[in-house]
Amino acid sequence: MLNQNWLKPGDLLQVISPSGCLRELDAFEKGVEIWRSHDYQVELTPGYDEQWGYLAGTDESRFTQLIAAISNENYRGLLCSRGGYGTTRLLENWPNLNDFSLPIPKWLIGFSDITALLWTFSKISNFSCVHGPLLTTLAAEPEWSIQRLFDLVEGRSLEPLKGNGWGGGQAKGYLMPANLTVAGHLLGTKYQPDLTGTILALEDTNEVPYRIDRMLTHWRMAGVLQQLNGIALGRFSQCSPGLMNNTEFTVEDVLRDRLADLNIPIVSDLPFGHDSPNAALPVGVEAHIDGDTGVLEIKSNPLI
């Protein structure tokens, strides 16, 4: 029987732009059409296509848009138009999460810069968060990835993801998918979730190896990586070494150097992140990782 908290065809969803300004209009429209082709009602928020520099409107405009979408009892889900940059600016003056409640169960779907909202809202009762394709990236996904997104939000089981196991045995923990850069800028703030005993799933794009090295070194010095039960690595796209010389480390070199000594299960080359495929992953749901076989499995689809 379908749980009342799952999304279902006919539900009303709202498009929000809490991050960068919308540039990929054709891709955006195709993404909206995919949701509508699955019989969802999709409403475009007034101001979703605004621009203020590289942002989708002023902080006040985007904040107002986001609060209105969350507070409206008619909307079952929030679809993020694109990533870019800007969500952390909205958190600066965010209400106290302990005082925040939802009128009805809601879903938030996005990735990349949306990481800041995924991690923040996953702490709020009645919010289910999905690290998955944005409206501007959805149409570029293979059919299996699109189907996986709808399987996740509609309550069907998810196939395990297969990658490259680095060893370390097996572990369970709550899955916390994230963009490495965005999540790193939440460390030390009140929006950093407790990552003790979790499985951290990381991806990134357009970061050369030394910058990834610097970020992971920060995570190590902050003591966060040492608290994890496992690490799932997705795609680090367009992260090739610079052209200054031929002595650069590769991304894999850096990842192994900064992570392999943690003595926990690690799986790399999983099919999520920028540039497709971007397999949808629930936030804060129990998962199982096998560093020997290279498998990441969602143990139970998330009930709100």
Side-chain angles (χ1 to χ4, degrees), residues 263-303:
N263 297 316
I264 57 176
I266 298 178
V267 177
S268 67
D269 302 303
L270 290 164
F272 71 90
H274 288 74
D275 293 345
S276 176
N278 185 20
L281 296 170
V283 180
V285 170
E286 187 175 285
H288 178 270
I289 188 169
D290 191 326
D292 299 326
T293 63
V295 171
L296 176 69
E297 182 179 6
I298 308 303
K299 299 304 291 182
S300 60
N301 208 334
L303 284 175

Side-chain angles (χ1 to χ4, degrees), residues 172 187 192-200 219-231 262 264:
K172 292 189 297 183
L187 298 185
Q192 176 194 334
D194 182 2
L195 296 173
T196 304
T198 63
I199 297 173
L200 184 64
W219 285 69
R220 290 173 68 96
M221 294 179 68
V224 176
L225 297 183
Q226 296 85 343
Q227 302 171 359
L228 304 175
N229 278 5
I231 298 176
L262 296 171
I264 57 176

Side-chain angles (χ1 to χ4, degrees), residues 22-265:
L22 186 60
R23 299 187 179 97
E24 311 90 338
L25 292 178
D26 183 58
F28 169 77
E29 291 169 358
K30 289 178 179 177
V32 170
E33 182 52 38
I34 288 174
W35 279 93
R36 287 176 173 165
S37 71
H38 282 72
D39 296 326
Y40 285 90
Q41 302 179 66
V42 180
E43 187 170 298
L44 306 181
T45 305
Y48 79 95
D49 57 352
E50 288 182 8
Q51 180 176 354
W52 184 56
Y54 40 73
L55 301 168
T58 64
D59 290 347
E60 181 181 7
S61 172
R62 288 178 294 115
F63 185 83
T64 299
Q65 178 187 136
L66 182 58
I67 291 294
I70 292 173
S71 304
N72 193 313
E73 296 187 11
N74 296 316
Y75 299 113
R76 289 296 323 283
L78 310 180
L79 306 177
C80 295
S81 64
R82 74 182 301 268
Y85 168 72
T87 56
T88 50
R89 291 175 61 116
L90 301 185
L91 296 180
E92 195 173 1
N93 297 305
W94 194 259
N96 189 327
L97 291 179
N98 294 328
D99 299 333
F100 203 84
S101 61
L102 295 177
I104 61 170
K106 286 183 185 285
W107 291 73
L108 173 69
I109 301 165
F111 84 112
S112 192
D113 191 60
I114 308 303
T115 291
L117 298 185
L118 296 175
W119 278 21
T120 299
F121 292 172
S122 68
K123 302 177 184 178
I124 299 175
S125 178
N126 273 356
F127 233 128
S128 278
C129 297
V130 177
H131 183 281
L134 300 153
L135 289 173
T136 49
T137 66
L138 183 58
E141 290 295 305
E143 184 56 39
W144 70 262
S145 176
I146 295 175
Q147 184 58 51
R148 179 185 174 90
L149 174 61
F150 286 96
D151 286 343
L152 196 164
V153 300
E154 292 175 358
R156 294 181 287 275
S157 62
L158 302 177
E159 288 293 321
L161 298 181
K162 183 70 169 66
N164 179 28
W166 291 12
Q170 303 177 15
K172 292 189 297 183
Y174 290 112
L175 185 66
M176 295 300 291
N179 175 270
L180 172 63
T181 301
V182 178
H185 286 94
L186 298 180
L187 298 185
T189 74
K190 63 182 179 181
Y191 301 104
Q192 176 194 334
D194 182 2
L195 296 173
T196 304
T198 63
I199 297 173
L200 184 64
L202 296 173
E203 64 82 34
D204 217 322
T205 188
N206 285 307
E207 296 290 352
V208 294
Y210 83 85
R211 291 204 293 262
I212 294 174
D213 185 329
R214 181 168 59 199
M215 286 187 277
L216 291 176
T217 300
H218 176 205
W219 285 69
R220 290 173 68 96
M221 294 179 68
V224 176
L225 297 183
Q226 296 85 343
Q227 302 171 359
L228 304 175
N229 278 5
I231 298 176
L233 299 171
R235 190 176 305 100
F236 285 74
S237 59
Q238 303 178 55
C239 292
S240 299
L243 301 176
M244 291 187 298
N245 54 59
N246 60 4
T247 62
E248 286 269 354
F249 291 125
T250 66
V251 172
E252 183 173 349
D253 290 335
V254 170
L255 293 174
R256 286 189 177 273
D257 177 74
R258 298 283 75 194
L259 301 176
D261 66 346
L262 296 171
N263 297 316
I264 57 176

